[in-house]
Amino acid sequence: GRPPAARAAQVRAAAGCPAQKGAVVAAAHQPDLGSAVAQLLSGPPADWSLKKGALAWIASRERRGEAQVVLRAAISPDLL
């Protein structure tokens, strides 16, 4: 199969991240979802663990002419 970083890139591309405007919901299995979130927020591939059914709310914004990606919330499924 494809390496986790490549699968995470596929998740990001399907969601249109980070260029997508408006709301996007992406669902994926571990480690792909955790890796996609890590790459969106920190740049390099990383093995971030998200519990099955967890929610990560990520937003893009522009500040001082620079595009930024911001974590708004990360919620474990037992809190939903």
Side-chain angles (χ1 to χ4, degrees), residues 8-77:
Q10 192 173 21
V11 171
R12 289 190 336 273
C17 294
Q20 176 66 31
K21 300 293 182 210
V24 174
V25 175
H29 295 281
Q30 278 298 99
D32 303 336
L33 187 58
S35 183
V37 169
Q39 288 180 349
L40 281 168
L41 294 173
S42 66
D47 293 326
W48 288 8
S49 179
L50 294 176
K51 192 171 183 178
K52 184 178 181 178
L55 172 77
W57 177 14
I58 300 169
S60 60
R61 68 180 182 196
E62 188 174 312
R63 183 164 282 176
R64 289 181 229 110
E66 181 180 320
Q68 297 178 339
V69 179
V70 181
L71 177 66
R72 297 280 185 203
I75 306 171
S76 178

